[in-house]
Amino acid sequence: MTDETLRHDWSLEEALAIYRTPLSSLLHRAQTVHRRHFDPEEIQLSTLLSIKTGGCTEDCAYCSQSVHHHTDLAPAALLKPETVVAEAARARSQGATRFCMGAAWREPRDRDIPVLAEMVRGVKALGMETCLTLGMLSESQARALKEAGLDYYNHNLDTSPGFYDQIVTTRTYADRLETLENARAAGLSLCSGGILGLGESQEDRVELVRQLANLPVHPESVPINLLVQVEGTPLHGTAPLHPFELVRTIALARILMPRSSIRLSAGRAGMSDELHALAFLAGANSIFSGENLLTTGNAGDARDRDLLARLGLHARSQPAPVQTSARTPSPAPPAAPGAAAAAAAR
Ligand code: SAM
Ligand code: DTB
Ligand code: SF4
């Protein structure tokens, strides 16, 4: 069975065939892969904070923060490190193991790096994993942030290369790939995924996952966002995606990137408990916790506690051991029926 092998050469035809498998067989395959590599009852929680809000010069059609659109968002300057660290401490007290700091920038300037490094050092000192998402990043910027203790860089491919220019025109897919390369070269772990519900085709969704899986090293974390429709953005009013398409995309990501964390990301506030359950069955094992994402609302801690309890799932209590993202397949651990065995296998 090829599921256990980390492959980087998936063809579109192979990936489409998996995506279009009858749903129960697709879920069974995704679960089988998931249980080989993860504790099936454990969900990792990351909390987001917008450290610089609005006024972004990029024209991403989904985004509330672009100067090209007319949204109600109030812009805010870069937060002070002490404010950021206090928010991280609050997130930690609610069970988050990773703190993700997002800035509405095309790219940071070199002179922004020292204050960002200070934020990273402060969050790291709380014992949390750190993640930044700042737009395009040079290798030297990535190295400086890595040195400060940055664990993850989030930079999404968002959609397929073919559909990309209908969503963003101020940068290219190649720009996105270059930043991922720069972050990798600096030794950072990658968080890279996309958004569904932009009006893309099924082939675009499959191609997005294939692009991620065919990177030289799989992103350690793969956020799958469902478009949060924001009034004033060009994508407001887009026909909603059928939820099974989201579930299939998650399952495909789980099967093609067996060792990656797959995060059910933006859009959860509008999802039923049943859809959450299907997404977890499809192999999602991470969520954004907290009341807010960056500029829009999230499911919230009270609902998430209730949801996880009803599903018999629990939040991961510690950051995962630092991963080495091996290019070559390592022997898969035996199928682990219990939590302890699966945890020990990682
Ligand atoms: N400015 C940086 C960038 O674009 O790389 C970092 C922040 S940006 C808000 C991070 C990601 O959030 C985007 O790549 C996109 O995938 C996701 N995102 C933004 N707005 C969204 C929305 N309305 N619904 C769902 N996902 C969204
Ligand atoms: C990601 O893939 N999703 C997060 C995080 N990475 C930075 C952002 C979601 C943003 C949703 C819309 C908003 O709140 O502005
Ligand atoms: Fe700017 Fe990021 Fe929003 Fe695009 S997604 S407009 S780069 S903040």
Side-chain angles (χ1 to χ4, degrees):
M1 185 151 166
T2 55
D3 290 339
E4 305 161 5
T5 314
L6 295 189
R7 282 181 51 191
H8 304 268
D9 60 352
W10 294 93
S11 71
L12 181 59
E13 291 65 33
E14 281 176 299
L16 267 172
I18 296 171
Y19 187 97
R20 291 176 176 161
T21 307
L23 193 65
S24 62
S25 299
L26 178 64
L27 289 178
H28 180 259
R29 181 167 175 185
Q31 264 292 299
T32 307
V33 172
H34 190 181
R35 282 165 186 267
R36 238 177 239 139
H37 299 288
F38 291 96
D39 172 350
E41 274 103 47
E42 191 176 82
I43 301 290
Q44 185 269 331
L45 306 186
S46 292
T47 294
L48 279 166
L49 177 68
S50 181
I51 58 169
K52 185 265 168 188
T53 305
C56 182
T57 54
E58 302 285 65
D59 69 353
C60 312
Y62 47 76
C63 187
S64 61
Q65 307 200 64
S66 166
V67 290
H68 300 266
H69 319 320
H70 302 285
T71 63
D72 285 340
L73 187 72
L78 188 63
L79 298 180
K80 290 193 165 58
E82 54 267 34
T83 311
V84 173
V85 175
E87 286 296 325
R90 210 157 62 103
R92 189 183 62 167
S93 74
Q94 293 299 316
T97 56
R98 190 177 309 161
F99 196 63
C100 305
M101 298 158 269
W105 279 324
R106 173 177 167 81
E107 60 208 332
R109 299 162 301 188
D110 282 345
R111 66 180 148 104
D112 297 318
I113 299 297
V115 68
L116 295 165
E118 198 182 331
M119 293 175 191
V120 168
R121 275 191 295 272
V123 175
K124 194 73 187 159
L126 297 172
M128 300 180 86
E129 291 175 320
T130 53
C131 178
L132 280 172
T133 181
L134 310 168
M136 294 188 272
L137 202 65
S138 70
E139 193 180 324
S140 64
Q141 292 175 331
R143 282 189 192 285
L145 294 167
K146 166 81 184 168
E147 232 162 74
L150 184 64
D151 297 304
Y152 286 82
Y153 196 69
N154 166 248
H155 200 67
N156 293 337
L157 292 181
D158 279 347
T159 189
S160 73
F163 192 60
Y164 198 73
D165 64 4
Q166 298 200 37
I167 300 300
V168 190
T169 69
T170 49
R171 57 167 189 255
T172 64
Y173 215 74
D175 291 332
R176 285 316 255 188
L177 292 168
E178 193 180 323
T179 290
L180 291 179
E181 270 173 39
N182 291 342
R184 264 295 178 227
L188 294 171
S189 293
L190 294 189
C191 173
S192 187
I195 314 188
L196 311 185
L198 305 172
E200 76 284 349
S201 66
Q202 203 171 66
E203 283 79 2
D204 291 318
R205 288 188 282 280
V206 171
E207 181 57 20
L208 162 69
V209 176
R210 192 179 82 95
Q211 287 285 329
L212 295 164
N214 285 354
L215 289 170
V217 180
H218 294 165
E220 284 74 5
S221 202
V222 178
I224 303 292
N225 296 281
L226 181 64
L227 175 68
V228 178
Q229 298 206 7
V230 178
E231 233 178 294
T233 60
L235 293 185
H236 186 246
T238 303
L241 186 74
H242 193 287
F244 291 169
E245 296 294 312
L246 170 74
V247 173
R248 286 180 180 279
T249 305
I250 290 172
L252 181 66
R254 167 52 63 224
I255 292 164
L256 267 49
M257 294 173 278
R259 291 177 188 267
S260 302
S261 278
I262 310 293
R263 182 171 312 118
L264 178 62
S265 301
R268 289 198 308 111
M271 290 179 201
S272 66
D273 287 2
E274 294 89 331
L275 179 54
H276 275 87
L278 276 177
F280 295 140
L281 272 171
N285 60 346
S286 169
I287 54 174
F288 283 122
S289 56
E291 308 305 313
N292 295 301
L293 296 166
L294 290 174
T295 68
T296 65
N298 193 20
D301 291 323
R303 183 192 172 194
D304 283 343
R305 262 194 301 275
D306 178 65
L307 175 71
L308 294 189
R310 281 177 197 280
L311 290 168
L313 300 173
H314 58 262
R316 181 189 290 166
S317 55
Q318 296 294 324
V322 176
Q323 295 184 39
T324 51
S325 345
R327 274 162 197 268
T328 45
S330 49
R346 268 181 295 126

